[in-house]
Amino acid sequence: MMDTTQLVSFVREHFNTNQFIPLHEPRFRGNEKKYVAETIDSTFVSSVGAFVDQFENRMQDITGAAKSVAVVNGTASLQVALRLAGVKKDEEVLTQALTFIATANAIVYNNAIPVFLDVDLDTMGLSPKAVENFLEEFGELREDGCYNKSTGRRIAACMPMHTFGFPVHLDGLMAVCNKWKIPLVEDAAESLGSFYKGKHTGTIGLISGFSFNGNKVVTSGGGGAIVTNDVELGIQAKYLTTTAKRPHPYEFFHDELGYNFRMPNLNAALACAQLESLNGFLEDKRILANKYAEFFKDSGIKFKQETAYTKANYWLMCVELKNKAEREEFLKNTNDQSIMTRPIWNLMYRLPMYANCQRDAQANAEFLEERIVNIPSSAR
Ligand SMILES: *Cc1c(COP(=O)(O)O)cnc(C)c1O
């Protein structure tokens, strides 16, 4: 049996508790209660209010992007980001199978079809080489973009996901996407506070989506943000997510099929307070990541660390076990001792609705699927 006794003691000592230790829990130590109470006192608890505007401005400051739009959750942010990138019915989006379900669902909500390509072993995110290989084999440039020769469908976007906050190889992806005239849409749901060559994730492609769900680095209870450097797209994002209503003091006229994807002011209040604490959370998580790295050194278990040119937020930290049998033992031993650990997601094509999607060989994704386990990662 694999001995996880030392790990259990290490984690218990770090979090200073003998109780159950979850993977990731939110911390509310700043202005959360104050701001939420302010929204109630103001009566502006719903779809408009000062905190919504403040949240959008703060996200622009943090990411350095020209435009940020608050929305109801991360999935909705991706759905609308894809639509604004030009994804339409029966078109295809290149993405990774090693991801959370929302990435693929956001594609299908646009009536488009995911194509699953392999990830890199170091970043665990979409591999530029895999995208390049796929397009060399199946891509065809036409007047209105890139087509998949094997299906006859237009490839309308490429959507990598920054797994657990580790940035993908964005330069490589941008290069191959530019060559094939495919817009890059970043699923940055997990990567608030992660940077690639000094630029915040989600600001390198055309447009991106972030999540503020309860398990993310910071939370608004539920929420999301669309982020883009294209001001016109940002304006469109605000418009589409607020029912596509023509501005008018009292008339209701809607130009097209929009969405009610607004983030309530109550949630934005929580998010604003959380964003004030973001840097503290990130520093605290990095301390734990450094301790884990030291702990797992020479243990035969690999602690995943940020790659060159990147700064990861260490949202969910993870280890790579030697094989599936060791992974099972590790999961059992830790969970039996009330230290929550969890395997990485099942690959999307294991799920019934995505079983028949086109995909490449997936050697790296399947390698990681059998070995990666998340370990407790909360800020203290
Ligand atoms: C959390 C997450 C989302 C969006 O999540 P919501 O719960 O809708 O806010 C999207 N993609 C990935 C990879 C995620 O981890």
Side-chain angles (χ1 to χ4, degrees):
M1 277 294 269
M2 175 189 292
D3 189 9
T4 48
T5 318
Q6 279 184 314
L7 176 62
V8 170
S9 323
F10 164 82
V11 173
R12 291 215 170 281
E13 192 180 309
H14 177 82
F15 288 105
N16 192 25
T17 176
N18 288 315
Q19 309 285 306
F20 171 74
I21 300 176
L23 273 192
H24 204 281
E25 55 183 349
R27 303 282 182 231
F28 304 115
R29 285 198 220 94
N31 288 317
E32 285 86 354
K33 282 186 182 166
K34 178 167 175 269
Y35 292 173
V36 169
E38 276 176 32
T39 64
I40 293 169
D41 292 342
S42 75
T43 76
F44 281 86
V45 294
S46 194
S47 50
V48 293
F51 282 113
V52 174
D53 302 334
Q54 201 190 108
F55 170 78
E56 292 177 342
N57 288 331
R58 277 188 181 278
M59 278 298 287
Q60 285 162 203
D61 290 345
I62 290 166
T63 61
K67 204 84 177 121
S68 161
V69 175
V71 294
V72 70
N73 58 49
T75 310
S77 74
L78 297 173
Q79 180 185 337
V80 175
L82 286 166
R83 174 164 162 182
L84 287 169
V87 175
K88 291 188 277 298
K89 187 170 166 17
D90 296 330
E91 296 185 331
E92 294 178 354
V93 177
L94 309 180
T95 191
Q96 59 204 64
L98 187 73
T99 186
F100 175 60
I101 189 75
T103 315
N105 285 356
I107 295 167
V108 179
Y109 295 155
N110 283 289
N111 299 304
I113 301 149
V115 173
F116 297 117
L117 302 180
D118 208 0
V119 294
D120 284 316
L121 286 175
D122 57 352
T123 67
M124 299 179 284
L126 191 63
S127 162
K129 192 77 205 150
V131 175
E132 190 179 358
N133 290 344
F134 179 85
L135 291 169
E136 292 297 336
E137 187 173 356
F138 297 111
E140 184 181 87
L141 270 177
R142 296 190 200 159
E143 215 164 276
D144 62 339
C146 180
Y147 278 74
N148 180 341
K149 278 189 281 195
S150 66
T151 61
R153 296 187 194 112
R154 197 172 79 97
I155 299 172
C158 173
M159 185 158 67
M161 194 278 281
H162 304 293
T163 303
F164 306 140
F166 294 110
V168 297
H169 294 295
L170 278 160
D171 275 354
L173 281 174
M174 281 303 285
V176 63
C177 285
N178 286 339
K179 179 177 169 197
W180 290 92
K181 303 200 186 320
I182 299 171
L184 191 80
V185 178
E186 294 172 67
D187 180 345
E190 304 184 349
S191 67
L192 183 67
S194 296
F195 293 80
Y196 179 84
K197 294 190 175 171
K199 288 183 189 155
H200 200 290
T201 52
T203 66
I204 291 131
L206 177 66
I207 189 166
S208 67
F210 287 83
S211 169
F212 294 85
N213 191 41
N215 64 340
K216 297 301 202 287
V217 174
V218 301
T219 186
S220 57
I226 299 166
V227 163
T228 179
N229 274 317
D230 184 322
V231 174
E232 197 44 51
L233 270 191
I235 292 167
Q236 277 294 312
K238 187 72 183 179
Y239 180 69
L240 269 184
T241 54
T242 56
T243 70
K245 183 182 173 294
R246 235 185 244 173
H248 193 279
Y250 45 84
E251 289 282 357
F252 281 88
F253 190 88
H254 306 262
D255 294 290
E256 57 180 310
L257 186 65
Y259 313 91
N260 176 13
F261 280 170
R262 288 176 284 218
M263 177 190 281
N265 199 41
L266 201 54
N267 297 81
L270 190 63
C272 286
Q274 286 267 285
L275 287 177
E276 291 173 354
S277 302
L278 175 63
N279 285 337
F281 292 153
L282 293 175
E283 280 165 27
D284 201 45
K285 288 161 76 65
R286 184 164 288 270
I287 288 169
L288 176 58
N290 288 335
K291 281 167 75 172
Y292 272 138
E294 185 61 30
F295 177 87
F296 284 111
K297 202 176 64 178
D298 311 320
S299 70
I301 295 174
K302 187 168 160 190
F303 178 69
K304 294 291 256 186
Q305 287 178 279
E306 64 200 357
T307 54
Y309 313 116
T310 73
K311 186 163 189 212
N313 63 4
Y314 285 102
W315 169 53
L316 278 193
M317 301 179 212
C318 63
V319 288
E320 182 184 305
L321 281 298
K322 281 207 187 73
N323 51 50
K324 199 170 177 176
E326 288 210 0
R327 182 192 82 166
E328 294 314 308
E329 262 193 62
F330 183 90
L331 285 166
K332 180 162 189 336
N333 290 351
T334 45
N335 283 291
D336 277 355
Q337 295 176 84
S338 296
I339 305 289
M340 185 173 173
T341 62
R342 189 178 65 190
I344 199 166
W345 314 280
N346 283 300
L347 300 177
M348 288 301 109
Y349 53 84
R350 313 265 187 231
L351 312 177
M353 38 322 168
Y354 298 117
N356 298 320
C357 292
Q358 188 174 15
R359 62 176 198 258
D360 64 7
Q362 305 284 326
N364 293 345
E366 293 189 359
F367 178 93
L368 294 166
E369 182 192 33
E370 289 197 337
R371 290 169 178 81
I372 297 292
V373 173
N374 289 120
I375 54 182
S377 311
S378 308
R380 269 189 296 196

